[in-house]
Amino acid sequence: MDFNENKPIYLQIADRIMEKILNHTYKEGDRLPSVREAAADAGVNANTMMRTYTLLEQNGVIFNKRGIGFFVAESGRQRVWDIQYRELEDTDLKYIFGRLANFGYEPERLKQAYIDYLENREKQK
């Protein structure tokens, strides 16, 4: 697995697991690979993978059945959606809006650009 240097590895792995939950690769109730299996697949230390699973568990995305393993929580997909939506608003949009403001991008122009994007995206489906 390739990692970038801008974000801790355990957070990058958590992001990838959450993407798999959002796209239904891992469904609610599914068992995740064991810590050791997942660590080997990702090419990281088992402690790094355990840190990832602990973070996801603390956020209500997964849960641990002692002695059996980690599973996607019943509300796991919704929790992922909530986490990523909050990150979009708190981080991504602030960055994008800052860039737009620096260039003097007008709100109406942004609105039309977004409408055009959605229309083109719909046509491509």
Side-chain angles (χ1 to χ4, degrees):
M1 190 176 278
D2 294 328
F3 300 104
N4 67 52
E5 296 179 17
N6 300 335
K7 189 174 190 179
I9 290 172
Y10 79 100
L11 294 176
Q12 293 177 60
I13 296 169
D15 287 345
R16 290 177 185 167
I17 292 171
M18 289 192 293
E19 284 299 319
K20 288 181 177 186
I21 292 170
L22 277 182
N23 71 25
H24 299 285
T25 301
Y26 295 140
K27 295 174 183 60
E28 294 174 345
D30 282 357
R31 184 180 179 278
L32 296 176
S34 72
V35 170
R36 288 194 175 139
E37 290 170 331
D41 288 345
V44 298
N45 183 291
N47 291 329
T48 300
M49 189 56 64
M50 189 62 207
R51 192 169 180 190
T52 299
Y53 279 9
T54 299
L55 173 71
L56 293 173
E57 184 177 28
Q58 289 170 343
N59 283 298
V61 174
I62 65 174
F63 66 96
N64 186 10
K65 285 186 181 178
R66 200 157 181 78
I68 299 174
F70 287 92
F71 295 80
V72 178
E74 290 303 317
S75 60
R77 191 165 189 276
Q78 182 62 50
R79 291 292 305 135
V80 168
W81 194 91
D82 292 343
I83 291 165
Q84 291 189 344
Y85 191 86
R86 189 173 48 245
E87 184 177 314
L88 169 71
E89 287 187 327
D90 293 346
T91 306
D92 301 336
L93 286 179
K94 284 182 182 177
Y95 172 77
I96 291 167
F97 290 158
R99 300 261 309 161
L100 292 169
N102 288 340
F103 286 103
Y105 211 88
E106 296 294 324
E108 284 305 313
R109 186 172 177 194
L110 173 62
K111 179 180 176 183
Q112 188 57 53
Y114 186 58
I115 289 169
D116 294 345
Y117 168 79
L118 292 175
E119 288 173 356
N120 288 332
R121 185 175 133 179
E122 197 60 35
K123 288 177 187 175
Q124 293 175 357
K125 286 185 180 180

